[in-house]
Amino acid sequence: PVVCSDACGAVPLFVTPGNNGYVFEAGDVGSLERNMLKVINSTDDDLRAMSARSHEHGQRISPELAAASFMSILEK
């Protein structure tokens, strides 16, 4: 599972809250704690399922897509 802040630009692509991870409010320690506890309190089966879904999310980016994205930034 993924736990990251809402300031992370990759959230929309890689995290579906409750599906494969959780998003906490940047700078809010309580929000981070609540979301970490969700992971800690998850069953092993839930953690494996979230892990598999995170792997699927990660397959959205290919080396070609990453290179094209990087090149578009350089061209600006």
Side-chain angles (χ1 to χ4, degrees), residues 46-65:
D46 287 340
L47 292 172
R48 279 190 285 276
M50 292 176 83
S51 175
R53 289 188 291 263
S54 289
H55 180 76
E56 291 171 8
H57 283 264
Q59 299 304 306
R60 295 176 180 174
I61 299 293
S62 67
E64 295 79 16
L65 182 59

Side-chain angles (χ1 to χ4, degrees), residues 6 19 43 46 57 66 71-72:
D6 57 3
N19 178 274
T43 66
D46 287 340
H57 283 264
M71 293 304 293
S72 72

Side-chain angles (χ1 to χ4, degrees), residues 7 14 26 29 33 36-37 41 47 50 52 60 65-66 75-76:
F14 291 113
V29 174
E33 179 183 15
M36 291 296 293
L37 285 171
N41 292 320
L47 292 172
M50 292 176 83
R60 295 176 180 174
L65 182 59
E75 292 170 355
K76 290 184 180 180

Side-chain angles (χ1 to χ4, degrees), residues 5 8 17-19 26-27 65 70:
S5 81
C8 177
N19 178 274
L65 182 59
F70 181 70

